[in-house]
Coordinates of all heavy atoms in Angstrom, one line a residue:
S1493 N 55.9 -59.7 -33.8 CA 56.6 -58.5 -33.3 C 55.8 -57.3 -33.1 O 56.4 -56.2 -32.7 CB 57.8 -58.3 -34.3 OG 57.3 -57.7 -35.5
V1495 N 53.6 -55.1 -30.9 CA 53.3 -55.1 -29.4 C 51.8 -55.0 -29.2 O 51.2 -55.7 -28.4 CB 54.0 -53.8 -28.8 CG1 53.7 -53.7 -27.3 CG2 55.5 -54.0 -28.9
S1535 N 64.5 -57.0 -27.0 CA 63.9 -55.7 -27.3 C 63.9 -54.7 -26.1 O 63.9 -55.2 -24.9 CB 62.4 -56.0 -27.7 OG 61.6 -54.9 -27.6
S1536 N 63.8 -53.4 -26.4 CA 63.6 -52.4 -25.3 C 62.3 -52.6 -24.6 O 62.1 -52.0 -23.5 CB 63.8 -51.0 -25.9 OG 62.8 -50.8 -26.9
Y1559 N 53.9 -59.3 -25.5 CA 55.2 -59.3 -26.4 C 56.4 -59.1 -25.5 O 57.4 -59.9 -25.6 CB 55.0 -58.2 -27.4 CG 56.3 -58.0 -28.2 CD1 56.7 -58.7 -29.3 CD2 57.2 -57.0 -27.7 CE1 57.9 -58.5 -30.0 CE2 58.4 -56.7 -28.4 CZ 58.7 -57.5 -29.5 OH 59.9 -57.3 -30.2
N1588 N 63.8 -49.3 -30.8 CA 63.1 -49.3 -32.1 C 64.0 -49.0 -33.2 O 64.8 -48.1 -33.2 CB 62.1 -48.2 -32.0 CG 61.0 -48.5 -31.0 OD1 61.3 -48.8 -29.9 ND2 59.7 -48.4 -31.4
R1594 N 60.0 -50.9 -42.9 CA 59.2 -51.1 -41.7 C 57.8 -51.5 -42.1 O 57.2 -50.9 -43.1 CB 59.2 -49.8 -40.9 CG 58.5 -49.8 -39.6 CD 58.9 -50.9 -38.7 NE 59.2 -50.5 -37.4 CZ 59.3 -51.4 -36.4 NH1 59.2 -52.7 -36.6 NH2 59.6 -51.0 -35.2
T1597 N 52.0 -51.1 -40.3 CA 51.2 -50.9 -39.1 C 52.0 -50.4 -37.9 O 51.4 -50.2 -36.8 CB 50.4 -52.2 -38.7 OG1 51.4 -53.2 -38.4 CG2 49.5 -52.7 -39.7
V1599 N 54.1 -47.3 -36.1 CA 53.7 -45.9 -36.2 C 54.6 -45.1 -37.1 O 54.0 -44.2 -37.8 CB 53.6 -45.4 -34.7 CG1 55.0 -45.0 -34.2 CG2 52.7 -44.2 -34.7
K1602 N 53.5 -45.8 -40.7 CA 52.2 -45.3 -40.9 C 52.1 -43.8 -41.1 O 51.4 -43.3 -42.0 CB 51.4 -45.7 -39.5 CG 49.9 -45.6 -39.7 CD 49.2 -46.2 -38.4 CE 47.8 -45.7 -38.3 NZ 47.2 -46.2 -37.0
L1620 N 45.6 -42.0 -34.9 CA 46.6 -42.6 -34.1 C 46.2 -42.7 -32.7 O 45.2 -42.2 -32.3 CB 47.8 -41.6 -34.1 CG 48.6 -41.4 -35.5 CD1 49.6 -40.3 -35.4 CD2 49.2 -42.7 -35.9
G1621 N 47.1 -43.4 -31.9 CA 46.8 -43.6 -30.4 C 47.6 -42.7 -29.6 O 47.5 -41.4 -29.7
N1622 N 48.5 -43.2 -28.8 CA 49.3 -42.5 -27.8 C 50.5 -41.7 -28.5 O 51.6 -42.3 -28.7 CB 49.9 -43.5 -26.8 CG 50.7 -42.9 -25.8 OD1 50.8 -41.6 -25.6 ND2 51.4 -43.7 -25.0
A1625 N 54.0 -41.1 -26.5 CA 55.0 -42.1 -26.2 C 56.3 -41.7 -26.8 O 56.4 -41.2 -27.9 CB 54.5 -43.4 -26.8
R1627 N 60.2 -42.8 -27.9 CA 61.0 -43.9 -28.3 C 62.4 -43.5 -28.7 O 62.5 -42.4 -29.2 CB 60.3 -44.7 -29.4 CG 59.0 -45.4 -29.1 CD 59.2 -46.6 -28.2 NE 58.0 -47.4 -27.9 CZ 57.2 -47.1 -26.9 NH1 57.5 -46.1 -26.0 NH2 56.2 -47.9 -26.6
V1661 N 56.2 -39.6 -30.5 CA 55.5 -39.8 -31.8 C 55.1 -38.5 -32.4 O 55.3 -38.2 -33.6 CB 54.3 -40.7 -31.6 CG1 53.5 -40.8 -32.9 CG2 54.7 -42.1 -31.1
R1707 N 46.9 -49.0 -26.5 CA 47.0 -50.3 -26.0 C 46.5 -50.4 -24.6 O 46.5 -49.3 -23.9 CB 48.5 -50.6 -26.0 CG 49.0 -50.7 -27.4 CD 50.5 -50.7 -27.5 NE 50.8 -50.7 -29.0 CZ 52.0 -50.5 -29.5 NH1 53.1 -50.4 -28.7 NH2 52.2 -50.5 -30.8
D1710 N 50.8 -49.3 -22.1 CA 51.9 -48.8 -23.1 C 53.1 -48.4 -22.3 O 53.0 -48.0 -21.1 CB 51.3 -47.7 -23.9 CG 52.1 -47.5 -25.2 OD1 53.0 -48.3 -25.5 OD2 51.7 -46.6 -26.0
Ligands
G4F2422 O1 55.6 -48.4 -33.8 P1 55.2 -49.1 -32.6 O2 54.1 -50.1 -32.8 O3 56.4 -49.8 -32.0 P2 56.7 -50.4 -30.5 O4 55.5 -50.7 -29.8 O5 57.6 -49.4 -29.8 O6 57.6 -51.7 -30.8 C1 58.6 -51.8 -31.8 O7 59.8 -51.6 -31.2 C2 60.3 -52.6 -30.3 C3 61.7 -52.2 -29.8 O8 61.6 -51.2 -28.9 C4 60.3 -53.9 -30.9 F1 60.6 -54.8 -29.9 C5 58.9 -54.2 -31.4 O9 58.9 -55.5 -32.0 C6 58.5 -53.2 -32.4 O10 59.4 -53.3 -33.5 O11 54.7 -48.1 -31.5 C7 55.5 -47.0 -31.0 C8 54.7 -46.2 -30.1 C9 53.8 -46.9 -29.1 O12 53.9 -46.3 -27.8 C10 52.4 -46.9 -29.6 O13 51.4 -46.9 -28.6 O14 53.7 -45.5 -30.9 C11 52.4 -45.5 -30.3 N1 51.4 -45.3 -31.3 C12 50.5 -44.3 -31.4 N2 49.7 -44.4 -32.4 C13 51.1 -46.2 -32.2 C14 50.0 -45.6 -33.0 N3 51.6 -47.4 -32.6 C15 51.1 -48.0 -33.7 N4 51.7 -49.2 -34.1 N5 50.0 -47.5 -34.4 C16 49.4 -46.3 -34.1 O15 48.5 -45.9 -34.7

Side-chain angles (χ1 to χ4, degrees):
S1493 69
V1495 178
S1535 162
S1536 56
Y1559 168 86
N1588 295 50
R1594 184 53 132 163
T1597 61
V1599 79
K1602 196 170 158 181
L1620 294 172
N1622 179 11
R1627 292 288 183 273
V1661 174
R1707 295 168 186 173
D1710 200 2

